Amino acid sequence: MLPDYRPEPFVDFSVKANADAMRTALSKVGDELGRTYPLLIGGEHIELADTFDSLNPAKPSQVVGSFAKATVEHANQAVEVAATAFETWRNVAAEERARYLFRAAAVMRRRKFEFMAWLVYEVSKSWAEADADVAEAIDFMEYYGRQAIKFGGPQPVVAYNGEENELRYIPLGVTVVIPPWNFALAIMVGMTTAAIAAGNTVVLKPASASPAIAAQFVRLLVEEAGLPDGVVNFVPGSGGAMGDALVDHAKTRVIAFTGSKEIGLRIFERSAKLQPGQIWLKRTILEMGGKDGIVVDETADLDAAADAIVASAFGFQGQKCSACSRAIIVESVYDSVLKKVVDRTKKLTMGDPTDPKQHMGAVVDQKAFDKIREYIEIGKSEGRLMLGGETGDAADGYFIPPTIIADIAPEARLSLEEIFGPVLAFIKANDWKHALQIANNTEYGLTGAVFSRSRERLEEARRDFHVGNLYFNRKCTGALVGVQPFGGFNMSGTDSKAGGPDYLLLFTQAKTITDRF
């Protein structure tokens, strides 16, 4: 009997043994930086002359790893190999598939600090953010393993005299997994292991900014957990022609993607086109960003609201699809909340995240650095700069300080467009009704939060605040696997990471509500 699923506990770095273990892991991983990594297709390591580098955002001159750059031919080869492996893997019992995941989770738990260190170096996560990322990755494997067992056998149907009826869920085939760089371990692990648990095979194209973390996980699955050859295939490379080839291939059955709206819509369109020899409609799981708001009314605990806004807006440099990029405050408490948020934000530290004293590291790369700076300039023309706004030389690290811009209009670009960085727009609402209207005026609808002591208003938000994850009187980041199943509305798409298949759900969307009491 398996123990009930429980989320992985976070590390207490105030305990000296834990802090020492993290420093040891940083030193160990530091010695491994700069290595070259091959493709992995059907258990075969394929080295190529054409490579690309993953860089440390806090020290762009430091190469985290060099990676073989897969071509269209490699993409096609990987899908074919995965399709062949599927013919065997599909018949492996759900309990056996789950054991691979439980074994991988146990290995990652033992090597937790090492995986944290990779996140610190490759995507500039603070110790606490890296810990949360690894914990979530472990949670996905533990949770999906249990889900595989739950849904692996016959499911209940209505009894009918004289007949024996049976409902079973069956695997589909090759799943192309295209994960993001921001939760470079957790989301990549979740997307990959969900497919594996269901009996599908995987072609994994990691984000170009975080292939080293993905490579460590693939090695864990294959070398330590013993996953059979071809069940997971590793093909890093550009997202252009090679990515299109993975999506277009006639033997691709499912595409799981988390990333930008533009790429998500491209995948959605291309996957809908029937290819020669294709005998099914491809399924897509697309999560395409967020423009998330925290609403604060005049009845709220303003100190708690300010704490939540700062944590949600600037954790991991605001590079979360669930991050608070809009603080929507009713007029009577607007100035008070703004001051509290500015004062708290001034206390945040920023620098090399190998130092545990730093709250914030660097944004992920030069492209993000340039884009965020452009939005800051837009924000200066649309509102009143309260904090931040200045950046240093990118050669010294892609550091952008937390930036707060007040008096942003609800229809301004800073209010509506995804920035994906440490930039917070303060928006003044006339009253509660106006605040809720502003909260719903974006094409994105991933997460949101409401701070209010009014039960009537919370109930209204429960019904009318259109987001996938809605939080009452707590921050809008930090969903836990199985506790706050992750859903989304509008351009955010849907990506239900918990719960089982249900015919009725095909006609609805998941909405998770956390009511803190």
Side-chain angles (χ1 to χ4, degrees):
M1 293 292 293
L2 281 171
D4 290 341
Y5 163 75
R6 290 288 182 270
E8 181 74 9
F10 298 132
V11 173
D12 182 355
F13 288 109
S14 68
V15 176
K16 184 177 183 299
N18 291 335
D20 288 345
M22 185 63 181
R23 291 188 178 93
T24 299
L26 286 166
S27 177
K28 177 181 183 296
V29 171
D31 290 339
E32 297 178 20
L33 300 181
R35 293 182 177 178
T36 299
Y37 296 83
L39 311 181
L40 179 68
I41 300 177
E44 178 186 357
H45 293 93
I46 302 173
E47 298 181 355
L48 302 173
D50 190 11
T51 63
F52 68 97
D53 293 338
S54 171
L55 306 178
N56 179 350
K59 296 180 181 178
S61 61
Q62 185 177 56
V63 176
V64 174
S66 295
F67 291 83
K69 191 174 183 179
T71 64
V72 169
E73 290 72 23
H74 294 117
N76 291 331
Q77 179 187 356
V79 174
E80 292 288 348
V81 166
T84 299
F86 174 68
E87 295 306 316
T88 302
W89 182 248
R90 64 187 298 182
N91 296 319
V92 173
E95 291 80 3
E96 185 177 344
R97 298 196 303 264
R99 283 196 293 273
Y100 284 105
L101 269 60
F102 297 147
R103 194 176 305 136
V107 174
M108 186 175 290
R109 192 176 287 113
R110 291 196 300 271
R111 294 172 51 201
K112 180 183 289 189
F113 294 101
E114 182 182 336
F115 277 92
M116 288 183 208
W118 282 105
L119 289 161
V120 169
Y121 282 117
E122 191 168 40
V123 292
S124 204
K125 290 212 166 186
S126 68
W127 288 22
E129 293 285 351
D131 175 31
D133 201 326
V134 176
E136 186 175 6
I138 294 170
D139 287 346
F140 275 129
M141 289 185 280
E142 292 284 0
Y143 184 86
Y144 284 140
R146 286 163 173 79
Q147 292 295 93
I149 294 170
K150 178 180 179 180
F151 293 108
Q155 302 300 304
V157 293
V158 175
Y160 192 74
N161 289 338
E163 295 181 2
E164 180 180 309
N165 294 293
E166 185 176 276
L167 167 67
R168 288 182 180 269
Y169 296 108
I170 62 172
L172 295 176
V174 178
T175 300
V176 170
V177 173
I178 307 175
W181 51 262
N182 62 333
F183 283 86
L185 186 66
I187 296 180
M188 180 270 301
V189 168
M191 297 164 83
T192 301
T193 57
I196 291 170
N200 300 311
T201 53
V202 171
V203 178
L204 170 61
K205 194 203 87 63
S208 296
S210 57
I213 297 162
Q216 309 312 313
F217 177 64
V218 170
R219 186 167 63 183
L220 182 157
L221 284 179
V222 174
E223 297 180 8
E224 298 181 79
L227 200 67
D229 291 346
V231 174
V232 63
N233 303 275
F234 179 67
V235 285
S238 68
M242 195 273 284
D244 286 347
L246 291 172
V247 171
D248 294 346
H249 200 290
K251 293 183 181 178
T252 294
R253 190 68 193 265
V254 182
I255 303 104
F257 168 81
T258 298
S260 72
K261 180 184 79 172
E262 291 75 19
I263 300 301
L265 292 179
R266 179 181 179 86
I267 290 171
F268 193 52
E269 178 182 7
R270 296 185 75 96
S271 64
K273 296 177 180 178
L274 202 65
Q275 302 295 328
Q278 182 179 324
I279 59 172
W280 48 63
L281 296 180
K282 296 171 183 174
R283 294 188 181 181
T284 59
I285 304 169
L286 308 172
E287 196 269 281
M288 297 179 283
K291 189 66 180 176
D292 311 299
I294 293 182
V295 174
V296 183
D297 77 2
E298 72 279 7
T299 73
D301 180 334
L302 301 188
D303 288 315
D307 289 339
I309 290 169
V310 172
S312 300
F314 302 122
F316 187 43
Q317 300 78 265
Q319 298 174 124
K320 300 179 183 180
C321 54
S322 59
C324 173
S325 57
R326 308 195 300 166
I328 304 165
I329 318 297
V330 299
E331 186 173 14
S332 60
V333 293
Y334 179 87
D335 291 336
S336 178
V337 175
L338 176 59
K339 183 179 186 304
K340 290 176 183 292
V341 170
V342 169
D343 289 345
R344 285 162 169 75
T345 304
K346 286 178 179 178
K347 297 176 183 178
L348 299 179
T349 58
M350 181 180 69
D352 188 338
T354 58
D355 180 353
K357 296 178 182 178
Q358 305 299 344
H359 294 101
M360 296 173 60
V363 299
V364 72
D365 58 19
Q366 181 76 56
K367 182 179 178 181
F369 183 79
D370 293 339
K371 175 187 174 182
I372 296 165
R373 289 200 303 174
E374 290 175 5
Y375 270 106
I376 290 173
E377 293 306 310
I378 292 169
K380 289 177 182 179
S381 68
E382 292 183 331
R384 178 166 47 111
L385 181 67
M386 302 299 299
L387 188 68
E390 300 297 330
T391 58
D393 189 340
D396 299 323
Y398 305 123
F399 292 102
I400 295 180
T403 299
I404 299 172
I405 302 176
D407 305 339
I408 294 295
E411 301 298 329
R413 291 183 65 185
L414 214 68
S415 175
L416 299 179
E417 297 178 13
E418 187 179 41
I419 301 170
F420 224 68
V423 181
L424 173 63
F426 253 77
I427 305 167
K428 185 184 297 183
N430 299 331
D431 53 26
W432 159 252
K433 293 287 188 182
H434 188 217
L436 190 56
Q437 179 185 348
I438 294 169
N440 284 327
N441 78 342
T442 172
E443 66 180 4
Y444 300 100
L446 197 66
T447 73
V450 176
F451 277 80
S452 175
R453 290 191 175 100
S454 167
R455 176 50 54 182
E456 180 182 359
R457 290 178 178 178
L458 294 178
E459 291 304 315
E460 184 178 357
R462 184 187 296 270
R463 181 184 68 243
D464 294 336
F465 194 161
H466 300 303
V467 291
N469 279 25
L470 177 60
Y471 302 98
F472 294 155
N473 296 309
R474 61 146 279 185
K475 64 189 179 78
C476 64
T477 57
L480 296 173
V481 175
V483 178
Q484 290 105 2
F486 211 60
F489 287 78
N490 306 322
M491 286 299 182
S492 293
T494 52
D495 181 10
S496 296
K497 296 177 181 173
D502 188 314
Y503 181 76
L504 181 63
L505 295 183
L506 295 174
F507 301 95
T508 64
Q509 282 188 296
K511 183 175 182 179
T512 300
I513 300 173
T514 298
D515 195 341
R516 174 156 288 189
F517 52 87

